[in-house]
Amino acid sequence: MKRSRLAVIAVLASLCACGQPGAAPVPTVAGTETIVLPRADQPKAHRPTLERLKREAAASGRPLEEVIKRYATRVAATSSPKPTDFDGYDPAVTDPDVTIDGIPYAELVDLGAIARSQGISYEEAIDRFGSQSSNRAVIDKLHAEFPDEISGVRYVDDHRGLRIGFKGPVPTRAIALAGTLPMEVTLIGGKGFSASELRQAQDTVVSWLRSRPEVATMTAHPDDDTGHVKVTVQPKVMPDDAEEFKRGLQLPQPDNPHITVEVTLSAESIVVQQ
């Protein structure tokens, strides 16, 4: 099985609480509600096999990565055979198709690379990033159940916490789902915009700029913390008056007043927004 890449990127926003044990309201800006579910009150990741392998590594003096690899190889060898005729299969380089405590072995391999790149221990990498697959299932539920309300979801504090934002009040159901995650979760309600509205505003601006003859290249990205669509434009000819040039672009304004468009000019070429 080809190794899956672990997406270790920061991506989320914040929300509110009602009746959640340990939920702590915190001060926030006018018009929003914020609640924090402290990590100490959240469920702990249940990883009995990895804990056993940690003890085995400590007792034997071997690196944990090596101990996990040996275990995965043994399990794969004694499991039911899986197809090996797929394109690119090479038993010498293909990772064992094994899941350990809910984490695919391919991701555990990736975590070793992440640990080295970030200068942290393998154990810390597993603790910090090992729940991403199970977290993704909860995040997908939030998006599925509140498609018009979610304003953003983002990992914070080096993946030790999660922030989830909502256009309106934080739903009770969202608090219950967030309460199943093994990390501190901050929920923020009342942001005034949804992620879908933010993407639509971005798409509208990008489409408009592509039609402007004075624009050479441009890029745009939405900021789900602020509700800003941040646009960088490279003019074909840099103007003497940047503000006048920006006014001349006649950018369409978002329907939602909580969403704004910010334009920056650049003399350098920019990767064209896809």
Side-chain angles (χ1 to χ4, degrees), residues 241-258:
D241 189 330
E243 293 306 315
E244 182 180 357
F245 179 87
K246 288 189 278 189
R247 286 193 296 271
L249 291 174
Q250 298 180 330
L251 288 175
Q253 294 304 303
D255 294 331
N256 187 332
H258 294 278

Side-chain angles (χ1 to χ4, degrees), residues 75-92:
V75 172
T78 57
S79 299
S80 300
K82 292 182 172 61
T84 57
D85 58 352
F86 57 84
D87 182 39
Y89 175 76
D90 181 347

